Amino acid sequence: MSPSPDTPLPRLLDAGETALVAEFGDQVDPAINDHVLALDAAVTARALPGVRESVPTYRSLMIHYDPLVIDRATLAAEVTALAQAAPAQGRRGALWTIPCCYDAEFGEDIADIAAATGLTPDEVVALHSGARYRLYMYGFAPGFCYLGGLPEAFAKVSRRLKPRPPHPPNVVMMAGGLASIATVSMPTGWFLVGRTPERMFSLTRTPTVLLDVGDELMFEPIDRATFDALEARAAAGEVVARREPQP
Amino acid sequence: MSAPALRIVSAGPGTTIQDSGRHGYLRFGVTGAGPMDALAHATANLAVGNAPGASAIEVGLGGLSLAAEDGPVTLAIAGAPFAVALDGQKLETPLVLTLEPGAALSLRPGPAGAWCYVAAAGSFAIAPVLGSTATHTRSGLGGLDGGPLKAGDRLPVGETADLGHTAPSRLIAPWLERSRDVVRVVLGPQDDFFTPEVVERFLTQPWTLSGRSDRMGYLLEGEPLTHAGGFNIVSDGIAHGAIQVPGEGLPIVQMADRAPTGGYPKIATVIGADLGSFAQLRPGAGFRFAAVDIATAVAARQAQAEALARPVERMPLIRTELPSDFLLGLNLVGGVVSATAPAT
């Protein structure tokens, strides 16, 4: 989808007296997310005194601020001006290949996903690993990746009725028409598709976070022996995902 | 001899190290954490000469017992009126005192309130993680090892000017005496997911804090709220104090350990000046919300900042349990008796 040539002005909403929400829409849409990321970059570059940090999400930017340093009206005027001056350029993120082991041991829910969609387990893996995903946002937990681009065939896969017990670290999941990569072990309402040896977030590695929001990624199926080998390298601090050259 | 340290003798669940929080990493899904009652946390730190956001111990309802090692440690204790005892002698809070090696200090929950803070002069020499020592147990960040404090933990005290021995003294901190009956909110950012009648009901009906509350979220009990339309929204940012209303209609106030983003409509946001007093509610406590505008929220915040800008004054501690023969010996008591007793 190409970005709109017009620069839409965000709707400004108050989340208390210390956070302003600049909302560009209410959908998961790359064009909306492009506007969020363009405003995020502009707000970060402007470095207004009193602006503490900003948090880009699918569809809005939350700007945390100290109202004793910058008042709401001044901040709102600045954000509106920045949104006008920083139209989304259809920025192109990097493309990554993330190794993923879909073996039944890790892809615990592939059989259930196959049953829900009428696909065979092999078709689930082929479809999942054949799609190109976009990293829309981080959230929930350190380095937890919210991905769009899940094939339509998986739209029927809802959320678990009840959260399951904590999953292993670095799992690849789907639910509610979205895909995700989790980092730390947590209870979850998502369905498990596979496990990657890559760490999307690691305190013992530089960089701590590999991907920028707006980047794209694909999953490369690997067998268990490859997983074990890459897992050992990743545990030692190596990056095992590949950043692909783009024309 | 090594530098003085505090040794944790025993710690109930929910006792953690907190500084002002982990800032700048919300965009990577990293929770800010930080104190549940920032005003009390800052007061304890300022009373012993620390920066207001320095590392201190947040004590929950599980309580804490401490000892000093390798030298005396001067401490300030502020927050909920916990029962504090030094070698068995009860002391009134908020207070400062010097804990000598060999002495035993304990904090137990008092009649009200949920969180009490122990700050050491010089703070604690703990390595920060992503710029902060704030403990977030769910993701295993901060503190000594990413978890709550436990018996045997040793907290080295940072360098400080020698304050000398401080006899137990009461801190004069009237700003910590806050109403817990009314919690002020700014409506939004998603109050338009509810009809005006439901928003009005949210503001007028009584609410009770659920026992399932923790540092991440305070769950409320009351008549459930109904959404005008759907209750699933595409995830967006969550501010400290945001009041999420999930499908079942019972609000969850997002506290210090909240996730940075989430997917339920947020009907209102607790103002910063009331977050600490709200955090001090005990499960079962009742309260109401009241809507205010941004200007009122900022003015309340300003007033708290001004209170903290002045030095925290002290007065000698009044002993709370005086022997009756001592009381009888006072002229004051005798005078009261003779004023009310019939003449003989």
Side-chain angles (χ1 to χ4, degrees):
Chain A
M1 191 182 295
S2 62
S4 161
D6 302 317
T7 304
L9 285 183
R11 194 177 162 218
L12 298 183
L13 304 168
D14 292 297
E17 82 283 14
T18 66
L20 188 67
V21 183
E23 185 182 271
F24 287 94
D26 58 5
Q27 301 297 318
V28 178
D29 178 329
I32 291 172
N33 192 236
D34 276 341
H35 287 298
V36 173
L37 300 185
L39 181 61
D40 179 41
V43 167
T44 302
R46 182 79 175 81
L48 287 164
V51 170
R52 290 172 163 150
E53 59 187 299
S54 52
V55 184
T57 68
Y58 286 111
R59 61 198 185 88
S60 62
L61 184 69
M62 177 169 274
I63 301 161
H64 294 273
Y65 68 100
D66 180 349
L68 302 186
V69 178
I70 184 167
D71 67 65
R72 198 264 185 203
T74 305
L75 178 62
E78 287 278 359
V79 169
T80 301
L82 289 171
Q84 275 171 328
Q89 296 296 320
R91 64 182 288 282
R92 189 165 189 193
L95 174 65
W96 297 80
T97 297
I98 310 287
C100 179
C101 182
Y102 293 94
D103 283 12
E105 180 191 352
F106 297 144
E108 286 177 39
D109 298 320
I110 286 179
D112 287 346
I113 292 167
T117 55
L119 300 167
T120 66
D122 284 350
E123 286 169 338
V124 169
V125 172
L127 206 53
H128 186 270
S129 61
R132 187 184 277 218
Y133 300 86
R134 174 189 174 107
L135 172 58
Y136 277 90
M137 59 183 273
Y138 289 104
F140 181 63
F144 186 101
C145 300
Y146 283 93
L147 310 177
L150 188 72
E152 192 61 31
F154 297 126
K156 280 181 238 167
V157 180
S158 182
R159 280 185 159 260
R160 288 173 188 279
L161 290 177
K162 286 173 71 172
R164 54 154 280 156
H167 57 67
N170 310 315
V171 291
V172 177
M173 308 189 289
M174 71 166 71
L178 296 170
S180 66
I181 310 173
T183 53
V184 291
S185 181
M186 294 260 194
T188 188
W190 296 66
F191 290 92
L192 271 62
V193 179
R195 184 171 168 186
T196 175
E198 186 53 272
R199 276 74 169 144
M200 305 311 284
F201 178 96
S202 172
L203 286 173
T204 55
R205 179 192 65 200
T206 304
T208 301
V209 171
L210 276 191
L211 273 64
D212 287 330
V213 282
D215 283 358
E216 294 188 310
L217 61 97
M218 299 187 72
F219 294 104
E220 180 178 61
I222 55 171
D223 61 21
R224 180 58 199 262
T226 308
F227 175 88
D228 289 341
L230 293 179
E231 172 69 20
R233 285 163 55 189
E238 193 179 328
V239 172
V240 298
R242 292 195 309 277
R243 186 177 173 144
E244 304 295 345
Q246 288 203 81
Chain B
M1 188 166 102
S2 53
L6 289 181
R7 179 74 74 178
I8 307 297
V9 176
S10 70
T15 291
T16 57
I17 293 290
Q18 298 295 339
D19 64 8
S20 65
R22 195 163 279 108
H23 305 297
Y25 300 92
L26 292 174
R27 61 172 51 239
F28 301 123
V30 178
T31 285
M36 290 291 277
D37 183 349
L39 195 66
H41 177 269
T43 300
N45 270 316
L46 290 167
V48 286
N50 296 344
S55 305
I57 304 172
E58 180 177 272
V59 187
L61 292 175
L64 177 72
S65 298
L66 291 170
E69 285 185 358
D70 302 321
V73 179
T74 296
L75 302 173
I77 300 174
F82 274 34
V84 174
L86 178 63
D87 284 334
Q89 183 198 13
K90 290 186 181 176
L91 301 171
E92 271 184 77
T93 62
L95 84 162
V96 291
L97 59 82
T98 297
L99 186 62
E100 299 287 349
L105 182 71
S106 70
L107 289 83
R108 297 283 173 267
W115 307 100
C116 195
Y117 295 88
V118 180
S123 191
F124 300 115
I126 298 171
V129 176
L130 296 175
S132 168
T133 62
T135 310
H136 183 234
T137 55
R138 276 184 178 77
S139 57
L141 297 181
L144 292 182
D145 56 3
L149 290 173
K150 56 190 184 302
D153 282 347
R154 186 176 189 274
L155 301 171
V157 172
E159 283 187 30
T160 182
D162 184 12
L163 299 179
H165 184 94
T166 304
S169 306
R170 182 86 188 262
L171 294 172
I172 311 302
W175 53 86
L176 293 181
E177 287 151 28
R178 298 157 288 180
S179 162
R180 295 188 182 117
D181 303 328
V182 176
V183 178
R184 291 171 291 179
V185 299
V186 171
L187 288 175
Q190 277 112 20
D191 51 320
D192 57 353
F193 275 66
F194 305 86
T195 63
E197 292 72 29
V198 171
V199 172
E200 183 62 22
R201 189 154 65 73
F202 163 75
L203 292 171
T204 50
Q205 77 178 43
W207 294 102
T208 303
L209 186 66
S210 160
R212 291 186 296 148
S213 301
D214 61 15
R215 275 185 49 92
M216 185 176 188
Y218 271 23
L219 280 65
L220 308 186
E221 292 167 351
E223 191 186 337
L225 302 176
T226 46
H227 301 77
F231 57 84
N232 279 308
I233 63 169
V234 174
S235 286
D236 70 347
I238 301 182
H240 194 172
I243 305 173
Q244 283 193 332
V245 184
E248 61 172 6
L250 292 177
I252 305 172
V253 187
Q254 300 293 308
M255 304 301 280
D257 279 0
R258 72 197 181 282
T261 62
Y264 292 116
K266 294 162 277 291
I267 192 170
T269 310
V270 177
I271 71 170
D274 284 4
L275 275 172
S277 50
F278 175 66
Q280 293 287 6
L281 290 175
R282 287 251 185 108
F287 65 95
R288 288 172 200 272
F289 289 114
V292 297
D293 60 13
I294 298 270
T296 303
V298 173
R301 192 179 193 86
Q302 178 79 41
Q304 288 189 349
E306 284 168 7
L308 290 185
R310 294 187 290 269
V312 186
E313 290 181 34
R314 305 170 178 187
M315 60 182 266
L317 201 65
I318 299 160
R319 295 170 64 188
T320 53
E321 288 194 331
L322 298 171
S324 54
D325 56 343
F326 173 75
L327 283 172
L328 288 169
L330 291 178
N331 284 339
L332 175 68
V333 175
V336 169
V337 169
S338 61
T340 54
T344 51

